[in-house]
Amino acid sequence: MKVSFVLLAHEKPEQLKDLLGSLLSAGSNVFVHHDASSGGDLSAAVADWGYDQLPGNIYFAERVKVVWGEWSIVQATLNCMAAIQQHDVDSDYFMLISGSCMPVKPIQLLEHFLAESGQDHIEAVNAEKNKWVTAGLQKQRWSKYHFFNWRYQTFWFDWSLKLQRKLKIKRAIPLNHTAHMGSQWWCLRRSTVFSVLDLYRSHPALKTFYRRTWVPDELFFQTMVANLIPNEQISDELITRYKFNNWGIPRVYYDDDYPELLGENRFFVRKVSYRAHQLRDRLARIAPLDISEFANLLEGAEAERLYLEERSAMLRGIEQHRWHSLDSSYENPYDYVKSIPNPMLILIGSEPETKYQALLELNKLQHTVVYGDLFDNTEVGAGYSHRHGLIAEPDAVTLMQHQWHQQLGDIAFQNPGKTIIFSLGDNALRYLEILRWNSDCHVIMIDRSRVAPINKALMEDLYLKSKVLHLLQNRNCELSRLSLPLVGELVASLDGKYTTSRSFNSFLRFYQAKVRWPALLSAEHNHWDFLKSIYSKIVVFVYDEEHALEGVQAFLKDKLGSELYHDPFSVASQDDNSLDWHYYLADLSHLNAKVNQGVLAFALNVSSIGYLDTLRWKRNLMVVALEDEKVQDKSASQLTFTLRGAQQVYQRAASGHAFRRLDVLMRDRRCSYAAVPPFEQRWIEEELYSFLQFTPLKVNAPLAGESIKFSAS
């Protein structure tokens, strides 16, 4: 097995001395194309260096002026192939390299690798099916004519493409070939090189076509090989290591990179700086070594090994903390939050005391750092006393909320490996919009420890959680809902034990299974089906004036054991998503059943009948319109003087019209509907008894703590 090299060089002869010396000393043949635009006589320099006495032979191909991005670089390579066909008799593989490449392993080791491989090593990606170019043109590299060089003639290059798009010009590759693209640097078998050269010579249309493509060195050989050679005989494992940064600038190796290159798993690297004289000299000595000599070299490179080990540890540390670097501060908040390595546990609720008690319990766990409402609108870290590590004072709310994701990153950076626990209140949605995409984040909606009277504060808490549930239907984070006693039980089970975030979340999921809140139904539903699934019967009293509800509340309490909740949707602002409230109604119904053991009854002002557009499809729901037809619509007018004359504004009460809209809405429904005068108690009772299907109680109202039992009618 013998490997020889195709060298495309534009450097000065002196800059090629180390590379040529190493390859020729190893016994390899080198077929050189020295750019016609480059100065110096390379053949004379080779003779002066005495390289004609080395085991390998060097041959010079016909020179052309090479221009980046154009056909000339392919022509230079083909000229080297012609020299191979003319002079080489014993090489099995030919490897394409540049003047900035250097070997990092013995040529003998490369030959052993190629003998085992037996394949052509070239990156050839089907460019008609896959995207290979990260930024810039791909299909238009061959489907359009290219007469101008983008690097030197940008205006004309862009203008030409624009014109061809308008003319709908679309070129096809000759011979019905499928376009393939890949790295310029390949290593091909002798038979493949000759097959490519013969096909090219026998079809002049190939040169005519590819001369007007853009960057053909990443297209021509890749397409030819992929269409000539069976796929199983092609490997995309390249022999040369090359790297680019995010701006497309290639990696350049210097003297201090020698330990890294000793550990390189490929056979060549590019680009090696011409000023790295010590590095180039040391690498040049490697190519002629046999395998045993190279093994001895590696065994004796203990200083380099220790240096590389230390450097690798440093780079790992830098990479581990890259998310917190200045560079990462320019990332969008979504990517930044997802890069935070610490697990996070976020408590959601609007009741400060409930959150405080839960935070106290969670603070008993090891490997955690606990804060209150970090991004509260009135106080940084509100609701909990711990403030260590916060850069903002309690009153610096604006500072804390500005670039808040980076503030959270600072906390994580100061507490490596710890689970960050904090709470969010009424403004939770702003932060959960981003935090929900962190897969190592667990959101817990925390509920009070006991069933308490349902008041506006509790309704606000339930509605906040309803909005959170609606938002978190799409998420990567974990979601749980726990009562305060369950939090204490969870902490007690983990007390004194080390636990990872994975096991911690597993415990939370286990405890969540004990909770049967209707609001935690499957996400695979729409809000109409969700409302239909609420098991409680619901009665909605639609009213215009408060006096219309006189007697209704007492009747519900005495006869049905139920409370009347006034305008429960008043906790929702008008600009909230209309889908947020259906979880809230399910929670309210569930709590009402625990507290009152009866139906859910609430009064809805006639101005809010928009909610009934969805509720009317619930079968076990009744709408009672309390319209006092004896009351005439009130009207008013106001006359004012203006510079343009007197103007009179006439206003008319719209309650009557609103009830008419309600009648129209209820024409198509699944619920029960009744329109009754507000002060006709008997009519109201009959409608409700018929809907609820039970016989009125014959006893006085129960004492506190006693249950109400209904007898079936």
Side-chain angles (χ1 to χ4, degrees):
M1 171 61 65
K2 180 177 179 179
V3 59
S4 292
F5 296 89
V6 175
L7 172 60
L8 302 182
H10 60 82
E11 293 82 0
K12 297 176 181 179
E14 190 65 29
Q15 294 173 334
L16 299 172
K17 183 177 181 180
D18 293 321
L19 174 60
L20 289 173
S22 66
L23 300 179
L24 295 172
S25 297
S28 297
N29 297 333
V30 183
F31 299 85
V32 180
H33 177 272
H34 194 219
D35 192 342
S37 302
S38 301
D41 188 344
L42 183 58
S43 60
V46 168
D48 291 342
W49 298 332
Y51 283 1
D52 53 350
Q53 305 300 315
L54 296 177
N57 297 314
I58 186 168
Y59 302 94
F60 295 94
E62 181 182 351
R63 300 174 71 184
V64 296
K65 290 184 178 181
V66 175
V67 181
W68 178 87
E70 297 185 11
W71 167 255
S72 54
I73 194 168
V74 176
Q75 186 63 62
T77 310
L78 290 170
N79 291 351
C80 288
M81 287 183 169
I84 290 172
Q85 198 173 47
Q86 180 180 356
H87 299 289
D88 190 271
V89 294
D90 59 349
S91 298
D92 301 289
Y93 272 89
F94 297 92
M95 181 174 174
L96 179 63
I97 59 175
S98 73
S100 63
C101 293
M102 285 297 291
V104 292
K105 295 189 185 304
I107 302 302
Q108 186 183 95
L109 190 61
L110 171 60
E111 291 172 340
H112 279 229
F113 169 80
L114 294 174
E116 293 179 2
S117 166
Q119 296 176 299
D120 292 310
H121 289 264
I122 182 172
E123 182 183 21
V125 177
N126 188 326
E128 298 182 11
K129 294 183 178 180
N130 305 286
K131 182 175 176 58
W132 183 77
V133 178
T134 56
L137 303 178
Q138 180 161 307
K139 289 187 177 181
Q140 293 183 55
R141 287 192 183 188
W142 70 84
S143 66
K144 307 298 182 191
Y145 290 94
H146 293 277
F147 302 98
F148 306 100
N149 190 299
W150 174 82
R151 179 173 285 186
Y152 314 110
Q153 301 161 306
T154 306
F155 172 81
W156 293 110
F157 183 93
D158 294 339
W159 177 85
S160 173
L161 283 181
K162 185 177 181 180
L163 177 62
Q164 292 181 72
R165 291 190 193 108
K166 286 186 176 181
L167 297 176
K168 298 183 178 179
I169 293 175
K170 185 176 182 180
R171 300 202 301 161
I173 298 179
L175 306 182
N176 201 27
H177 280 180
T178 300
H180 285 69
M181 300 181 72
S183 166
Q184 174 188 358
W185 312 109
W186 42 253
C187 185
L188 301 178
R189 295 172 296 178
R190 181 186 190 89
S191 59
T192 302
V193 169
F194 289 167
S195 295
V196 170
L197 189 58
D198 291 344
L199 183 65
Y200 166 74
R201 286 174 171 173
S202 61
H203 292 84
L206 288 170
K207 180 176 182 179
T208 302
F209 178 84
Y210 282 101
R211 283 183 69 248
R212 296 305 175 193
T213 58
W214 179 239
V215 195
D217 52 293
E218 295 178 344
L219 175 69
F220 177 80
F221 292 105
Q222 295 77 7
T223 300
M224 297 282 276
V225 172
N227 286 273
L228 280 172
I229 307 301
N231 188 58
E232 62 271 13
Q233 297 181 29
I234 300 175
S235 172
D236 61 0
E237 183 180 2
L238 299 181
I239 311 298
T240 301
R241 170 76 67 192
Y242 59 94
K243 298 179 180 179
F244 294 89
N245 63 16
N246 294 335
W247 294 276
I249 299 174
R251 164 82 183 274
V252 179
Y253 295 91
Y254 295 94
D255 286 337
D256 60 344
D257 291 315
Y258 178 69
E260 177 185 346
L261 296 181
L262 279 182
E264 175 60 58
N265 58 10
R266 294 190 183 176
F267 295 88
F268 277 73
V269 294
R270 67 181 307 266
K271 299 180 171 185
V272 178
S273 173
Y274 305 113
R275 292 190 295 272
H277 301 293
Q278 182 181 8
L279 176 62
R280 297 180 71 88
D281 179 64
R282 299 175 82 174
L283 293 179
R285 299 175 189 175
I286 291 178
L289 298 178
D290 60 33
I291 296 176
S292 60
E293 290 173 332
F294 184 60
N296 292 334
L297 173 66
L298 295 178
E299 186 176 351
E302 181 64 15
E304 287 81 3
R305 188 193 68 79
L306 292 175
Y307 173 84
L308 183 60
E309 188 175 64
E310 181 181 343
R311 184 175 179 180
S312 298
M314 179 187 68
L315 292 175
R316 285 196 304 271
I318 292 174
E319 181 59 28
Q320 288 173 359
H321 295 101
R322 193 204 68 81
W323 65 272
H324 191 253
S325 67
L326 182 62
D327 179 57
S328 68
S329 66
Y330 296 101
E331 293 181 354
N332 65 72
Y334 293 89
D335 289 338
Y336 185 89
V337 164
K338 286 190 286 188
S339 71
I340 294 177
N342 299 55
M344 286 182 280
L345 192 63
I346 306 172
L347 302 186
I348 304 296
S350 60
E351 295 184 307
E353 182 61 26
T354 303
K355 290 189 292 185
Y356 173 72
Q357 294 297 332
L359 292 171
L360 278 179
E361 291 292 334
L362 293 171
N363 195 39
K364 298 176 183 178
L365 295 174
Q366 298 180 9
H367 305 285
T368 60
V369 56
V370 181
Y371 298 96
D373 284 15
L374 286 176
F375 312 112
D376 184 74
N377 289 329
T378 58
E379 179 187 350
V380 176
Y384 200 73
S385 58
H386 181 244
R387 302 189 47 78
H388 179 72
L390 298 183
I391 66 169
E393 295 298 322
D395 59 347
V397 173
T398 303
L399 175 62
M400 192 67 179
Q401 293 182 349
H402 177 68
Q403 300 293 330
W404 63 268
H405 54 287
Q406 294 180 24
Q407 306 280 15
L408 193 58
D410 286 342
I411 295 173
F413 185 75
Q414 296 174 40
N415 297 276
K418 291 187 176 181
T419 298
I420 303 172
I421 302 175
F422 62 96
S423 58
L424 292 174
D426 296 335
N427 60 355
L429 266 67
R430 171 188 173 186
Y431 306 100
L432 291 178
E433 171 63 36
I434 296 175
L435 289 166
R436 61 180 168 144
W437 302 113
N438 184 324
S439 59
D440 213 3
C441 176
H442 201 128
V443 177
I444 296 181
M445 297 189 297
I446 189 72
D447 293 313
R448 60 177 65 180
S449 58
R450 59 184 177 84
V451 177
I454 299 176
N455 51 29
K456 187 171 182 179
L458 179 57
M459 289 181 180
E460 290 174 345
D461 184 64
L462 295 179
Y463 185 65
L464 170 65
K465 292 165 184 172
S466 180
K467 292 192 291 184
V468 169
L469 283 166
H470 181 68
L471 175 68
L472 296 188
Q473 284 188 25
N474 297 315
R475 65 184 188 274
N476 290 337
C477 67
E478 296 276 357
L479 174 63
S480 298
R481 188 166 188 175
L482 300 175
S483 65
L484 192 55
L486 281 178
V487 174
E489 188 177 342
L490 170 65
V491 172
S493 66
L494 298 175
D495 188 29
K497 302 176 183 177
Y498 175 80
T499 180
T500 64
S501 60
R502 184 184 298 274
S503 60
F504 191 77
N505 288 337
S506 297
F507 271 99
L508 287 178
R509 285 191 291 271
F510 170 76
Y511 279 95
Q512 181 58 56
K514 297 182 178 182
V515 181
R516 292 293 181 265
W517 283 75
L520 286 179
L521 296 180
S522 169
E524 301 298 325
H525 68 276
N526 59 55
H527 63 289
W528 285 279
D529 291 339
F530 182 85
L531 289 170
K532 293 176 188 177
S533 69
I534 298 176
Y535 54 80
S536 294
K537 290 195 172 185
I538 301 176
V539 180
V540 182
F541 294 95
V542 181
Y543 73 97
D544 179 30
E545 301 288 346
E546 287 283 349
H547 64 80
L549 299 173
E550 293 178 5
V552 174
Q553 185 163 352
F555 162 72
L556 291 171
K557 186 67 175 177
D558 295 342
K559 299 297 181 67
L560 304 182
S562 297
E563 292 284 349
L564 178 67
Y565 303 109
H566 288 257
D567 294 314
F569 296 114
S570 62
V571 296
S573 59
Q574 293 182 351
D575 58 348
D576 277 344
N577 191 313
S578 60
L579 304 183
D580 290 342
W581 57 269
H582 64 294
Y583 290 112
Y584 161 68
L585 187 63
D587 281 348
L588 189 62
S589 174
H590 178 78
L591 280 181
N592 176 74
K594 283 190 171 185
V595 174
N596 298 310
Q597 302 183 7
V599 299
L600 173 63
F602 60 86
L604 190 68
N605 190 273
V606 71
S607 62
S608 301
I609 61 174
Y611 292 100
L612 297 177
D613 189 37
T614 302
L615 288 172
R616 61 190 168 125
W617 302 110
K618 180 174 172 59
R619 289 186 180 277
N620 56 346
L621 179 138
M622 181 175 190
V623 178
V624 180
L626 301 175
E627 180 185 7
D628 189 355
E629 296 180 348
K630 296 179 181 179
V631 177
Q632 298 295 322
D633 280 352
K634 300 176 181 179
S635 60
S637 64
Q638 182 180 8
L639 186 144
T640 58
F641 289 117
T642 70
L643 295 175
R644 302 295 298 272
Q647 291 187 357
Q648 189 169 19
V649 179
Y650 179 78
Q651 296 178 330
R652 182 179 177 183
S655 61
H657 295 287
F659 278 109
R660 299 294 75 75
R661 286 194 294 108
L662 178 60
D663 291 338
V664 173
L665 184 66
M666 288 294 130
R667 289 175 185 172
D668 192 12
R669 67 182 191 277
R670 291 289 184 269
C671 68
S672 301
Y673 177 57
V676 299
F679 304 110
E680 295 293 339
Q681 191 82 5
R682 178 177 59 81
W683 289 13
I684 296 175
E685 292 180 9
E686 288 180 359
E687 293 288 351
L688 291 180
Y689 291 152
S690 174
F691 169 67
L692 298 172
Q693 296 182 349
F694 70 89
T695 303
L697 298 174
K698 301 299 182 182
V699 297
N700 294 329
L703 299 175
E706 295 180 343
S707 62
I708 299 174
K709 297 181 180 179
F710 299 142
S711 58
S713 58

